[in-house]
Amino acid sequence: MADKTSDDAVKHFHEMGLDDRILKAIAKLGWIEPTAIQEKAIPLILEGKDVLVKARTGSGKTGAFAVPIIQKILSVKQDSNVTGVLALILAPSKELSRQIYNNFQQLLIKCSQDIKVVDISPQVEVGTQRAVLKDHPEIVVSTPGRAVLHLKAGNFCLDPSLKVLVIDEADLVFSFGHEEDIKELMRHLPRVYQAILASATLTDEVSSLKGLLLHNCVSLKLQEPGVAPITQLFHYKYFAEEKEKALILYALFKLGLIKGRSIVFVNTVNKCYKLKLFLEQFEISTCILNSELPAVSRIHALSQFNDGKYSIIITSDETENLNNTNEKKHKDNHPTKDKESGISRGIDFRDVSNVINFDFPKSVNSYIHRVGRTARGTTKGTAVSLVSVKEKELLDEVDNFLAERLSIRGQHIFRDFQFNMKEVEGLQYRVKEAWKVVTGLAIKETRLAEIRRELFNSKKLKHYFKDNPRDWETLRHDKATHVIKLASHVANVPDYLIPTSLRSDPSLIRTRKRARPPSKAAGMVQNKYKAKMENPLVNLDIFEKNNEEMEEITAGPKKKEFKSYQKRKRRY
């Protein structure tokens, strides 16, 4: 499919024959014009064709199938009094199911009386959800496993009412262990229905699903690289080992060098807790997201991040860890992973400015899906990868792949992260000590404390504890967990430890309780870098470039005034 030229006119939503109620909901969402995939997919789905949609994360795939499904259901209900499930939307994870459900709710805001949508993916008793399914919702959102469970229980049926079947993130369905569920589901489908597969990548699993579910389908493969262009998403690399990575992460957050919401990716669940406990010692608040957390806790953590209560979320890449053989060896020592949980993909992280790969991902696809959490739509984003020597080969593989996809062969996608380690040498000692304190025992007991909190807050166990008060008291007075001793002075960064280049701009440092106004000479540097404050990552090369400009100032006519300022700073 060819790219649009300047002469190609964009087909707007009001030109697609959509109901006025849908157009009003679209306007309320702020969708000015359809994305490329929406412009191509919506008319085809309205025509009743089976469609295979391949488009990158953040391209508007959900809207591409949600809008025409609502339009088709409105048309069907206008012509007849049909009842039952008209559209079944399947997703590999509960988080993605919740996101799709929310998107449908937003598009149905003007016709919620005519069309009902329910999400049956949460892991609750089947009988609890039976009531909402008996109300005959037109749209059901679910994971394949939960849908099969309810179909077997007779809580709803698909034959003959089903009109549309959608499988989102189709390339993950089999890797999340839903192959048998899909085959079981097919026994409950009517002979005639419309099917839509949506995916960010086309894999063997998608080809298998295509053969099972689609008939004479139209494949939409827009000529796009699968990742945002380099003018929108900036990729940086910095070679460092684990303790150096910890120092860089601390400096980025504590010295205010990074702005906006950030996702920190690691490769194991334990590393999530290690980073959280490490940063907590410096009063840097974070939340955690991983597949070993209960579904309610994952949704709660995600909502806290999206609502702005936390600006940093630490998460492990579950698409890699679900099949990690090393973790299977220690299965008895860790809580069971939830196969219906996905982190790097299928989660509605909102307004993410930065993705930080503390651990470099283990595959090209994993990198693409991680950085797909930022630079969505038309907004810009930054991806910073901290790479160890062992991970360099993977970095080169990703670099070559992206260069080919973005049609800039022979060039490097990753820019050097201009971070001068010498400027933060004074902070190494406290970082080293804080990192050493977070032992395996501390991580284990933190996770036990988390499990204890879940037991206290569990609605399922509420009645049990009411009937067994002794168990409640035992749990309450259980052995206190290991607590990392926090030194009160560690959270504050004294002026003498602040990098020289940053002392000229107190607005960048959020750690000092009081600060004196800088001199006029220092203010000259601040004004020069004021324009760069708009970038998601504040002036990555500030340590080196600022030093050069400060040398010019100290050598000029302002030398005496600057020395006086430095003297007052030392006294302060």
Side-chain angles (χ1 to χ4, degrees):
M1 189 176 294
D3 291 331
K4 287 182 184 181
T5 64
S6 57
D7 297 329
D8 292 334
V10 176
K11 191 170 185 179
H12 295 280
F13 287 112
H14 67 270
E15 299 174 313
M16 296 180 179
L18 300 176
D19 191 282
D20 285 344
R21 290 167 288 184
I22 301 176
L23 293 175
K24 288 177 182 177
I26 288 173
K28 189 169 183 178
L29 287 171
W31 298 0
I32 299 173
E33 60 183 39
T35 63
I37 197 64
Q38 290 170 352
E39 185 182 358
K40 300 297 181 183
I42 291 175
L44 290 172
I45 296 173
L46 287 174
E47 290 176 18
K49 296 183 181 296
D50 284 6
V51 180
L52 173 60
V53 179
K54 187 258 179 187
R56 71 179 179 88
T57 302
S59 61
K61 293 196 300 293
T62 305
F65 62 74
V67 169
I69 284 175
I70 295 172
Q71 177 62 45
K72 288 173 72 72
I73 293 175
L74 287 173
S75 300
V76 168
K77 290 180 73 68
Q78 186 177 358
D79 297 336
S80 62
N81 294 323
V82 64
T83 59
V85 177
L86 301 178
L88 176 63
I89 320 296
L90 298 178
S93 68
K94 289 187 284 289
E95 288 84 2
L96 181 54
S97 296
R98 173 57 56 174
Q99 178 186 336
I100 294 171
Y101 169 77
N102 291 336
N103 289 338
F104 268 100
Q105 287 279 57
Q106 291 169 338
L107 289 167
L108 288 169
I109 192 169
K110 298 296 181 181
C111 49
S112 57
Q113 298 297 320
D114 299 304
I115 301 177
K116 300 184 188 70
V117 58
V118 297
D119 175 19
I120 59 172
S121 65
Q123 295 284 351
V124 297
E125 292 294 333
V126 174
T128 306
Q129 295 175 334
R130 185 179 292 116
V132 294
L133 290 170
K134 290 300 180 183
D135 287 341
H136 303 296
E138 287 77 13
I139 303 172
V140 172
V141 183
S142 176
T143 58
R146 292 294 293 180
V148 169
L149 196 63
H150 281 282
L151 286 168
K152 287 182 175 179
N155 293 339
F156 74 99
C157 62
L158 301 175
D159 191 4
S161 63
L162 186 74
K163 302 296 181 186
V164 185
L165 170 68
V166 178
I167 300 182
D168 197 9
E169 299 291 0
D171 54 329
L172 290 183
V173 167
F174 285 175
S175 63
F176 273 67
H178 293 304
E179 184 174 2
E180 293 302 319
D181 294 328
I182 293 294
K183 291 178 180 178
E184 176 65 30
L185 181 74
M186 291 184 64
R187 300 174 186 172
H188 299 268
L189 297 176
R191 290 188 63 187
V192 180
Y193 61 91
Q194 181 183 6
I196 302 163
L197 298 184
S199 176
T201 56
L202 297 181
T203 61
D204 293 338
E205 288 82 1
V206 177
S207 299
S208 298
L209 283 173
K210 178 183 174 183
L212 287 171
L213 301 171
L214 303 184
H215 306 282
N216 299 321
C217 74
V218 178
S219 295
L220 287 180
K221 305 173 188 177
L222 298 189
Q223 288 186 353
E224 56 179 12
V227 67
I230 56 175
T231 55
Q232 184 182 356
L233 176 57
F234 308 101
H235 306 261
Y236 293 94
K237 70 177 188 295
Y238 189 89
F239 291 102
E241 296 310 310
E242 195 167 73
K243 290 181 181 178
E244 291 176 318
K245 291 181 181 183
L247 176 58
I248 294 169
L249 197 68
Y250 163 75
L252 289 177
F253 293 133
K254 194 63 180 178
L255 300 180
L257 295 176
I258 199 165
K259 302 295 181 184
R261 294 179 187 169
S262 304
I263 304 176
V264 181
F265 276 104
V266 294
N267 287 341
T268 63
V269 174
N270 273 352
K271 187 69 73 63
C272 286
Y273 291 91
K274 188 172 182 70
L275 282 187
K276 179 178 174 62
L277 292 173
F278 165 73
L279 293 174
E280 275 183 353
Q281 297 177 71
F282 305 106
E283 295 183 0
I284 301 173
S285 299
T286 63
C287 57
I288 283 181
L289 194 62
N290 61 68
S291 67
E292 292 182 4
L293 290 172
V296 175
S297 297
R298 294 199 299 268
I299 293 170
H300 181 62
L302 182 62
S303 63
Q304 285 185 314
F305 178 74
N306 287 337
D307 293 341
K309 185 172 181 180
Y310 293 96
S311 60
I312 306 167
I313 190 166
I314 305 171
T315 179
S316 55
D317 193 342
E318 298 307 323
T319 55
E320 295 295 333
N321 289 338
L322 281 171
N323 298 315
N324 192 311
T325 55
N326 290 329
E327 289 206 358
K328 284 182 180 179
K329 292 178 183 178
H330 303 286
K331 187 176 180 181
D332 295 336
N333 298 328
H334 295 284
T336 304
K337 284 180 169 52
D338 185 350
K339 74 173 186 177
E340 294 185 350
S341 168
I343 304 299
S344 70
R345 293 173 61 183
I347 292 189
D348 187 20
F349 292 109
R350 297 177 197 160
D351 304 324
V352 176
S353 298
N354 317 289
V355 168
I356 300 175
N357 291 314
F358 188 89
D359 294 329
F360 199 74
K362 297 181 179 180
S363 69
V364 174
N365 280 340
S366 182
Y367 180 85
I368 291 173
H369 299 319
R370 283 186 184 187
V371 300
R373 301 298 96 203
T374 186
R376 308 193 71 168
T378 58
T379 59
K380 293 186 177 182
T382 304
V384 179
S385 296
L386 306 178
V387 188
S388 67
V389 174
K390 294 179 181 179
E391 297 167 330
K392 185 180 184 303
E393 189 176 338
L394 283 168
L395 174 75
D396 294 337
E397 185 181 348
V398 173
D399 196 20
N400 295 332
F401 180 85
L402 292 180
E404 185 176 346
R405 279 293 184 92
L406 295 169
S407 302
I408 49 174
R409 296 179 183 178
Q411 298 183 37
H412 292 293
I413 298 296
F414 287 89
R415 311 177 188 183
D416 288 328
F417 184 64
Q418 300 293 339
F419 188 92
N420 191 346
M421 291 292 286
K422 291 182 180 179
E423 290 279 2
V424 292
E425 280 182 347
L427 300 170
Q428 282 185 351
Y429 176 76
R430 58 175 60 196
V431 168
K432 183 179 178 181
E433 289 300 309
W435 188 257
K436 189 193 302 182
V437 167
V438 187
T439 60
L441 178 62
I443 294 171
K444 179 181 177 181
E445 293 186 339
T446 299
R447 299 184 68 176
L448 287 173
E450 188 175 73
I451 294 171
R452 190 178 290 108
R453 283 196 301 272
E454 292 298 330
L455 292 175
F456 282 138
N457 298 326
S458 173
K459 292 181 180 178
K460 293 181 181 178
L461 293 175
K462 187 176 181 181
H463 296 293
Y464 173 82
F465 284 133
K466 191 174 181 180
D467 297 334
N468 300 272
R470 188 172 179 179
D471 289 349
W472 170 265
E473 291 299 323
T474 302
L475 191 62
R476 277 188 59 199
H477 298 290
D478 200 1
K479 179 184 174 182
T481 58
H482 174 81
V483 178
I484 295 176
K485 294 181 180 179
L486 305 177
S488 58
H489 68 280
V490 171
N492 296 320
V493 183
D495 279 5
Y496 68 86
L497 288 180
I498 294 173
T500 308
S501 51
L502 291 182
R503 295 179 195 177
S504 60
D505 191 354
S507 65
L508 289 179
I509 310 299
R510 60 187 180 198
T511 57
R512 287 177 287 178
K513 293 183 178 179
R514 59 191 185 94
R516 295 186 179 184
S519 68
K520 187 176 180 181
M524 292 167 61
V525 179
Q526 178 180 351
N527 292 333
K528 280 201 169 189
Y529 288 94
K530 203 168 185 179
K532 295 192 178 183
M533 294 289 287
E534 298 176 0
N535 291 334
L537 199 62
V538 178
N539 195 16
L540 291 174
D541 53 358
I542 190 170
F543 290 144
E544 295 186 354
K545 288 192 175 180
N546 266 9
N547 283 341
E548 295 174 6
E549 301 213 9
M550 293 299 283
E551 287 176 8
E552 292 178 12
I553 292 172
T554 55
K558 299 287 183 180
K559 182 175 181 179
K560 184 180 290 186
E561 181 182 348
F562 183 79
K563 282 188 174 182
S564 175
Y565 165 72
Q566 290 289 72
K567 191 175 181 180
R568 292 198 307 272
K569 292 285 283 182
R570 283 194 294 272
R571 190 184 305 122
Y572 170 65

